[in-house]
Every structure is written in C-alpha cells, then in structure tokens.
Amino acid sequence: MIPFNVPPYVGTELEYVRDAVEKNRKICGDGPYTKMCQRWLEDKLHSEKMLLTTSGTTALEMAAMLCELEPGDEVILPSYTFSSTATAFLREGASLVFVDILPETKNIDPEAIEAAITERTKVVVPVHYAGVACDMDEILRIAGKYDLLVVEDAAQGVSSLYRGRHLGTIGDIGCFSFHETKNYSMGEGGAISVNNPRFRERADVIREKGTNRSNFLRGQVDKYTWVDEGSSFLPSDMNAAYLWGQLQSMEKIFANRMATWDYYDGALSSLCEKGRLELPIIPDGCSHNAHMYYVLLSDLEERTSFISFLKEKGVGSAFHYVPLHSAPAGQRFGRYNGEDNFTTATYERLVRLPLYYGMSDEDREAVVRAVYDYFGEGE
Ligand SMILES: *Cc1c(COP(=O)(O)O)cnc(C)c1O
C-alpha cells in the first residue's frame, strides 16, 4: 500500500531531541531550540516576530484573541477550509460568515469578501490552500478600504511566496502549522507571525498565560505578574528540537516534494488535455511549496469510484473539505453569504494524491499508473 501521507523525518531530528533532554536539560517551552527555530523562521521568512505554538489551530486562536472581537463581530472566511479556521474565531464570540472560493486556486474569492462586508465585519481570513497564495493585493486593498484586520491561515503555506513575500508575513498576523501532515513538522505544532507591530507585545502575554513574563525576562519590568487574558500556547522544547532538524533540511524537503509534484503534473498532463480530469493551476506571482497534489474528477460519483479504484490498486488518497457552511456546526454557528458556485463542487470533485518527503520513484510511478488505469488509458 502506498500511504497517503508519511510524517517527514530526515534523520537528524532525534539527535537534537536528545540534546534538548540530556544536554540542555530544558524540555518545557521557550528553551534554546524554540528560540533557535523562531529566529531561523524570522530570518528565512522575513518576519518581524515569530512565536512557536502548540499547533496551527492554537496559532489561529492566538490570532483571534489578538483581534479583540466583541460578540457579534463578523469574520469572513472561506467555507472550503479546515474547521480550525472557524473554531479559532468562534471561541472569541465572532459570527462566522462563509464565502465562496475561486475555481483556479480554491482560495477565497475577493469579490465574495467585498460582497459580504457589513458594519460588523472586523476580520478577513485568507486561507492559502495547498500552499498557493490567495490574491493578497486585492484582499489587502479591500481590508484597507473597510478597515479590516487580515489574519492569514498559512497552515499549508510555510516557505511559499506571493510576489516575493512569504505567506503569513503579508497580513496583520500569519498562522502556520507543523503538524505531521504538513511539509515541515514537529508532530503537533505551529507558529504565529505577528506582523502588525500593534500586536507584538500582547502576543507574548497571551502566549505566556496572560503574564508579562517575556518583559520580565528581558528586564523591562521588575515584577512578573498576571496582566491580561491568555493561555499556554508554547510547545515543549523537545518538539522544537525535532522541528529544528526539519528546518535545517528545509531545502532538501522542499526539493524532494517539488520533484514529486512536478512529476505528477507532467505525467498527468495528457489526461488533462483530453479532458478526463483537471490539475492544479498556479497563478503568476505565486511560488508554491508543493504541499499538495490534487486532481479534480467530473462529479461526486466519479470521485467516489476513483478513490475506491486507487485503494484497490494499493494507493491511498483523500478528499476534503466538507464545506463548513453545510457541516452541522457551520449551520449552527455561521452563515453563508453569496452563491456557492465552487465550494461544494470542489468538495465533491477533488482528490489528493500521496505526496510526502522521501516518496520513492517507483511509488509515484505506481500512483500515476493507477490513475491512467482508472481512465482505461495508456500513459
Ligand atoms: C492543518 C491546518 C490547520 C490546523 O493546523 P494544526 O497544526 O493541525 O492545528 C488550520 N488550517 C488549515 C488550512 C490547515 O491545513
């Protein structure tokens, strides 16, 4: 069986974890490896302030807290995304307003954002699906015009670029995931890039259980005390040590994933030309991180039979996302604004192929062969 995903492991990680445990004697949060990862990410992504978190979800939760929402304030997000994009803002009492995506990238449609804006709208959340950038120029223009905050869900977008800028560093706040299904991992973990200087100090406080511990450690105040709301959003330094190994090998992981992505894209192009399926589209100005390779079948029925055919051939694949606006909680906590031209259709048609660090040539060839077999076509 060719698995759909294998957690990324390059081989150096355990030595760093051992170092954290035996040499540093520091396994709680904000130890040496956490600081090294944060500084490394700040340099690499050109972020002014990066903080590791326990997950992409908690990075989004921190972002939502920083937005200081009042009950009834509205947050606009795509319906085609992971539940965390929504739950983070729901916890802050926001009303969720789901909108449609664009057919090319499956990213939030800027026109749908503008059409959904009311007097209560406070935040817009572009989700960079598959690590391919949203139309950030247009989203920033709209946010500027209506005075909205922009929280980027860049969970899938670590190391991707939009017009030369790293995803997650463009809006007021950016959120990343280092879950084992993402390109670079620490098991469970994430990071928040606090781009708007207005939020930088409060981000430290929220992450440190509402205390001014960071100011205290920097010698800026002489007492360490409870000053604001907060939680514990800092990961263990053991997890950060694993991530350090991954970051040191970022180029290698990137190149390996991209080779598989390019292979799929080239090998499947003739099926696309014959109109049997659709392949991802990468707009000008976007350089992506090979987070995901997907194909689009014609409808739900074909998607279902395609996935079971691949399974019979020993190939793991996956579909997602049940549109949030039609999920039970989405109906309870949110509303959909505008037409659903592409959200439900994408959910019904999209299938993700196996793509992970270290995938062998034989395995990716077997995946392509299985796809051709499904359509009864020779390569
Ligand atoms: C993975 C993911 C998250 C959540 O990240 P975790 O680290 O799993 O909590 C949020 N949003 C999107 C779009 C994701 O893909």
Side-chain angles (χ1 to χ4, degrees):
M1 186 80 191
I2 299 168
F4 170 66
N5 181 60
V6 175
Y9 176 58
V10 292
T12 54
E13 296 89 341
L14 291 182
E15 213 169 301
Y16 295 125
V17 174
R18 175 182 283 276
D19 188 55
V21 176
E22 291 185 355
K23 192 164 140 268
N24 293 342
R25 299 283 170 107
K26 187 81 180 167
I27 58 172
C28 71
D30 277 340
Y33 279 105
T34 301
K35 299 221 163 69
M36 281 154 65
C37 289
Q38 289 174 174
R39 211 165 308 131
W40 193 93
L41 287 164
E42 284 169 357
D43 283 351
K44 167 83 183 173
L45 273 54
H46 305 288
S47 158
E48 292 292 323
K49 184 182 181 84
M50 191 72 79
L51 295 169
L52 291 193
T53 59
T54 47
S55 65
T57 303
T58 53
L60 285 160
E61 290 176 5
M62 273 188 70
M65 291 172 84
L66 287 168
C67 290
E68 296 190 271
L69 299 169
E70 316 248 324
D73 283 350
E74 292 175 359
V75 175
I76 299 175
L77 68 162
S79 176
Y80 192 70
T81 183
F82 192 59
S83 60
S84 304
T85 320
T87 55
F89 291 92
L90 183 63
R91 294 168 83 256
E92 298 305 300
S95 296
L96 306 173
V97 180
F98 301 111
V99 299
D100 208 5
I101 49 173
L102 294 166
E104 297 82 19
T105 55
K106 329 302 173 206
N107 281 333
I108 194 165
D109 177 355
E111 277 183 31
I113 296 174
E114 195 155 14
I117 289 170
T118 71
E119 303 216 310
R120 301 302 312 260
T121 309
K122 290 284 150 54
V123 185
V124 53
V125 193
V127 178
H128 303 295
Y129 181 70
V132 178
C134 295
D135 182 351
M136 290 306 290
D137 283 346
E138 193 54 16
I139 291 168
L140 292 182
R141 183 194 68 75
I142 294 166
K145 181 170 164 192
Y146 298 94
D147 196 21
L148 310 178
L149 292 169
V150 177
V151 174
E152 295 177 75
D153 182 340
Q156 303 174 9
V158 180
S159 81
S160 291
L161 302 171
Y162 175 74
R163 302 195 193 289
R165 296 171 73 188
H166 278 273
L167 303 191
T169 66
I170 301 166
D172 295 280
I173 302 172
C175 302
F176 304 95
S177 171
F178 299 119
H179 186 262
E180 73 165 36
T181 52
K182 302 303 200 284
N183 290 26
Y184 318 102
S185 184
M186 54 197 280
E188 297 277 357
I192 182 169
S193 177
V194 190
N195 309 322
N196 186 331
R198 163 181 151 201
F199 298 130
R200 292 209 185 119
E201 195 168 324
R202 191 156 180 262
D204 284 326
V205 171
I206 286 177
R207 183 165 163 278
E208 279 278 17
K209 303 98 179 165
T211 71
N212 59 356
R213 185 162 180 273
S214 305
N215 285 347
F216 175 71
L217 292 176
R218 284 194 291 261
Q220 290 162 345
V221 292
D222 58 10
K223 269 201 312 287
Y224 158 35
T225 183
W226 180 30
V227 294
D228 202 339
E229 62 175 329
S231 187
S232 182
F233 289 122
L234 54 170
S236 158
D237 220 45
M238 291 188 287
N239 295 60
Y242 188 101
L243 181 64
W244 180 248
Q246 295 263 299
L247 296 180
Q248 298 310 102
S249 300
M250 186 178 256
E251 296 301 327
K252 187 164 129 182
I253 295 172
F254 172 82
N256 184 274
R257 295 185 72 104
M258 192 56 86
T260 300
W261 199 100
D262 285 339
Y263 171 76
Y264 282 149
D265 208 49
L268 298 175
S269 64
S270 82
L271 288 176
C272 180
E273 280 153 24
K274 287 181 189 155
R276 308 307 291 270
L277 44 65
E278 289 171 33
L279 303 179
I281 294 167
I282 312 296
D284 286 347
C286 297
S287 86
H288 72 100
N289 59 358
H291 173 62
M292 191 191 292
Y293 200 88
Y294 61 79
V295 299
L296 287 132
L297 289 304
S298 57
D299 55 22
L300 179 59
E301 198 183 331
E302 192 182 36
R303 180 259 265 168
T304 308
S305 72
F306 181 76
I307 290 177
S308 38
F309 182 86
L310 291 189
K311 194 172 167 202
E312 275 170 36
K313 295 273 172 180
V315 175
S317 65
F319 67 86
H320 68 182
Y321 300 103
V322 177
L324 295 186
H325 75 278
S326 48
Q331 296 194 331
R332 194 143 37 106
F333 299 121
R335 67 181 169 85
Y336 190 89
N337 194 77
E339 300 284 313
D340 173 5
N341 289 319
F342 303 107
T343 299
T344 300
T346 300
Y347 155 66
E348 289 179 348
R349 299 176 54 211
L350 185 142
V351 177
R352 302 173 61 182
L353 300 181
L355 174 53
Y356 46 85
Y357 172 73
M359 191 171 178
S360 70
D361 290 359
E362 300 79 63
D363 281 357
R364 62 196 202 191
E365 283 159 19
V367 172
V368 166
R369 211 174 312 119
V371 175
Y372 273 85
D373 284 351
Y374 175 78
F375 290 106
E377 299 258 358
E379 281 175 55

